[in-house]
């Protein structure tokens, strides 16, 4: 029989081993979703709970959200719901023996998941200036006595303190990335803003570019870079005079020459950026009107000397131009669009990219079938 001191020593050793086994995994993980799962696993092991989750406050939506397992979509609850919500509001931990005897218990998730919650332990996750940014919630203590102890509370607190910095920096990274995305999107929209085209041409060119990059089996980071850069391909159009940009009908040769400067203009606007991604977008902008046969502009590059992202964006861009309404043309029928790509394969476009487009035609073209139906009220002017 171990005495109390011995038991304590064994327990401390177990806790240390747990922390040390999780530390490298947590340190190596940068994605918030995976961090939440890892830290919840650590918390669960620390206090021997059946379940444990790390809920984060989403102030914008007044919700708490979490990720319970890899590959499962996120869960969301109102920010003030149940024990977790209570801890968010008070900043105090809760040690509950029987949830169903407590009026603060929110039974809805048990009802939804056919689970029976009994004992509950919550501790707040504090950021570096003392705000509650989330809450650890452990449910159903395992073992003989199915109740959490003061010591479990201390262990979960330790987990929370240990997790806080990591979560905070992951949140900052996520915030910065979201900010970048928003700026990128705004830049894309800026080029659309002045032209009379409605709808989401920019978004469709971005989506089609992403899909084509995927079909061509580019590495995921390249796919993502192309997806992010494509919305900016026509940024240079913001410098094109209105009379040219929105002219109904055919451009004169002079006007077309002005219009064609948009590719180089977009490049100049972005090429001095400190951000690699924006410099990448600069190259996409300059390359998106080059042609595989070398008869494009502004440089007249040929074949593989055209940046790949530009070759991909060119196909997505022309697909959008042909399939949608423009101030100078009506949408083409689907079959005619498809035939045009087959016809232009090897001259205007790289054959491999056209092949990928044709092979996945239904998937790519689906977004244009909706707007081609006048009954949707989406056919313009
Ligand atoms: P956009 O409307 O987004 O068109 C993008 C590209 O789609 C065009 O670049 C061209 O490469 C392709 N495209 C358009 N029509 C056809 C076609 O019938 N067959 C084939 N194979 N490709 C086609 P492009 O020609 O360099 O034009 C750049 C931009 O100049 C266009 O962007 C549009 O904003 C403007 N634009 C071009 N032609 C006219 C025009 O006749 N009138 C007016 N108002 N604008 C024009
Ligand atoms: C033009 O020369 O006016 C534009 C030709 C085109 O739409 O490609
Ligand atoms: C890139 O490949 O990410 C762009 C390279 C650069 O513009 O420096
Ligand atoms: Fe363009
Ligand atoms: Fe375009």
């Amino acid at each position: 029989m171990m005495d109390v001191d011995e038991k304590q020593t064994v327990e401390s050793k177990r806790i240390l081993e747990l922390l040390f086994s999780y530390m490298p995994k947590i340190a190596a993980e940068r994605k918030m979703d995976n961090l939440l799962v890892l830290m919840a696993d650590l918390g669960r092991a620390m206090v021997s709970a059946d379940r444990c989750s790390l809920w984060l406050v989403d102030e914008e939506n007044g919700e708490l959200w979490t990720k319970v397992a890899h590959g499962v979509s996120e869960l969301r609850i109102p920010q003030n719901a149940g024990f977790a919500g209570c801890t968010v509001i008070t900043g105090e931990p809760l040690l509950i023996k029987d949830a169903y005897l407590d009026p603060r218990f929110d039974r809805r998730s048990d009802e939804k998941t056919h689970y029976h919650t009994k004992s509950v332990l919550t501790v707040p996750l504090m950021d570096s200036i003392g705000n509650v940014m989330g809450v650890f919630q452990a449910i159903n203590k395992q073992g003989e006595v199915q109740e959490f102890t003061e010591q479990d509370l201390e262990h979960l607190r330790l987990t929370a303190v240990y997790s806080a910095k990591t979560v905070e920096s992951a949140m900052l990274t996520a915030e910065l990335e979201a900010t970048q995305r928003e700026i990128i999107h705004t830049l894309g929209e800026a080029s659309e803003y002045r032209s009379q085209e409605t709808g989401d041409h920019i978004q469709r060119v971005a989506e089609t570019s992403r899909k084509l990059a995927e079909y061509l089996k580019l590495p995921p980071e390249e796919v993502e870079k192309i997806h992010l850069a494509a919305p900016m391909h026509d940024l240079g159009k913001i410098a094109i005079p209105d009379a040219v940009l929105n002219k109904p009908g055919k451009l004169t040769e002079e006007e077309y020459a002005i219009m064609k400067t948009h590719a180089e203009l977009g490049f100049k606007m972005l090429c001095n950026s400190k951000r690699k991604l924006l410099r990448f977008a600069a190259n996409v902008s300059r390359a998106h009107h080059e042609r595989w046969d070398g008869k494009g502009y502004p440089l007249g590059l040929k074949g593989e000397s055209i940046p790949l992202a530009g070759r991909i964006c060119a196909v997505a861009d022309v697909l959008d131009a042909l399939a949608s309404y423009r101030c100078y043309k009506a949408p083409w029928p689907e079959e005619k669009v498809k035939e045009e790509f087959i016809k232009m394969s090897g001259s205007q476009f790289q054959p491999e990219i056209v092949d990928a487009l044709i092979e996945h035609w239904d998937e790519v073209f689906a977004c244009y079938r909706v707007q081609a139906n006048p009954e949707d009220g989406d056919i313009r002017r």
Side-chain angles (χ1 to χ4, degrees):
M1 201 46 196
M2 281 193 285
D3 64 24
V4 173
D5 276 359
E6 266 177 304
K7 259 190 171 163
Q8 274 299 344
T9 313
V10 170
E11 178 64 3
S12 303
K13 208 170 152 227
R14 187 182 73 87
I15 294 297
L16 272 178
E17 276 170 4
L18 263 178
L19 279 175
F20 278 117
S21 72
Y22 272 88
M23 230 183 278
K25 285 186 256 179
I26 288 173
E29 184 56 65
R30 304 187 58 193
K31 279 195 64 189
M32 182 67 95
D33 289 3
N34 298 341
L35 272 175
L36 292 182
V37 176
L38 267 176
M39 287 175 175
D41 285 351
L42 172 60
R44 186 170 57 118
M46 290 282 271
V47 301
S48 310
D50 182 44
R51 293 183 171 186
C52 182
S53 35
L54 173 50
W55 296 89
L56 292 185
V57 176
D58 175 355
E59 269 171 35
E60 230 164 273
N61 299 305
E63 288 176 325
L64 298 176
W65 71 277
T66 191
K67 195 95 177 176
V68 282
H70 299 280
V72 176
S73 64
E74 63 185 43
L75 296 177
R76 289 186 165 264
I77 57 173
Q79 191 172 331
N80 54 6
F83 298 124
C86 212
T87 290
V88 170
I89 292 163
T90 62
E92 296 297 326
L94 287 173
L95 213 165
I96 309 290
K97 292 194 168 91
D98 187 346
Y100 281 82
L101 299 179
D102 195 301
R104 291 168 296 191
F105 182 51
D106 184 350
R107 315 174 168 216
R108 283 174 296 186
S109 69
D110 264 14
E111 281 159 10
K112 239 186 263 168
T113 57
H114 305 288
Y115 185 74
H116 189 86
T117 300
K118 187 143 195 288
S119 50
V120 178
L121 180 60
T122 65
V123 304
L125 190 77
M126 315 293 268
D127 68 16
S128 52
I129 52 170
N131 293 319
V132 179
M133 63 175 163
V135 46
F136 265 102
Q137 175 168 259
I139 297 178
N140 288 355
K141 173 76 176 182
Q142 301 299 96
E144 285 157 47
V145 186
Q146 298 185 346
E147 289 172 9
F148 294 105
T149 61
E150 285 292 332
Q151 193 178 35
D152 289 328
L153 200 163
E154 284 320 305
H155 287 158
L156 199 56
R157 245 199 238 278
L158 180 65
T159 313
V161 169
Y162 172 71
S163 307
K165 270 260 166 306
T166 313
V167 171
E168 206 176 6
S169 74
M171 278 169 93
L172 188 60
T173 306
E175 171 66 23
L176 284 174
E177 279 171 3
T179 306
Q180 277 192 18
R181 262 164 226 269
E182 197 175 316
I183 291 172
I184 286 164
H185 190 82
T186 305
L187 283 177
E189 282 188 330
S191 54
E192 218 180 24
Y193 175 70
R194 278 190 44 246
S195 68
Q196 282 168 17
E197 290 146 16
T198 56
D200 22 41
H201 298 281
I202 299 283
Q203 213 42 53
R204 283 199 298 258
V205 173
E207 272 305 301
T208 303
S209 300
R210 181 182 63 72
K211 285 181 183 151
L212 291 172
E214 262 170 23
Y215 304 149
L216 294 165
K217 303 210 164 42
L218 300 194
E221 315 81 62
E222 283 304 304
V223 174
E224 182 61 8
K225 258 166 65 183
I226 291 172
H227 183 218
L228 287 169
M232 293 176 269
H233 74 273
D234 273 338
L235 185 59
K237 279 189 181 175
I238 67 174
I240 303 297
D242 224 47
V244 177
L245 188 65
N246 292 317
K247 178 179 174 175
K250 206 162 165 58
L251 299 176
T252 65
E253 215 167 292
E254 240 168 78
E255 289 165 337
Y256 190 46
I258 293 170
M259 180 58 96
K260 290 205 289 193
T261 61
H262 80 279
E264 183 72 24
L265 281 171
F267 174 78
K268 285 194 173 133
M269 290 167 72
L270 296 167
C271 71
N272 292 318
S273 170
K274 286 200 172 68
R275 306 300 322 175
K276 218 176 169 180
L277 180 68
L278 293 186
R279 297 199 308 276
F280 179 77
N283 286 315
V284 174
S285 175
R286 184 164 57 179
H288 81 280
H289 286 296
E290 298 291 357
R291 289 171 50 118
W292 184 248
D293 59 13
K295 294 181 182 160
Y297 65 91
L299 302 177
L301 298 178
K302 191 173 172 176
E304 286 181 4
S305 62
I306 306 164
L308 175 58
R311 283 177 256 150
I312 291 172
C313 186
V315 170
D317 187 37
V318 176
L319 178 70
D320 196 70
L322 299 184
S324 349
Y325 176 91
R326 289 284 195 267
C327 61
Y328 64 96
K329 62 171 278 301
W332 288 15
E334 178 168 347
E335 269 316 301
K336 200 175 160 206
V337 178
K338 197 173 184 176
E339 280 163 21
E340 184 78 358
F341 276 98
I342 294 166
K343 190 174 103 195
M344 293 299 184
S345 177
S347 54
Q348 193 170 359
F349 309 113
Q350 179 177 2
E352 287 80 3
I353 304 177
V354 174
D355 291 347
L357 172 65
I358 299 300
E359 191 184 331
H360 299 271
W361 183 264
D362 271 337
E363 204 178 325
V364 178
F365 203 84
C367 65
Y368 294 106
R369 293 201 186 111
V370 185
Q371 70 156 30
N373 181 359
E375 278 162 32
D376 301 359
D378 195 29
I379 193 86
R380 285 147 276 200
R381 290 171 287 259

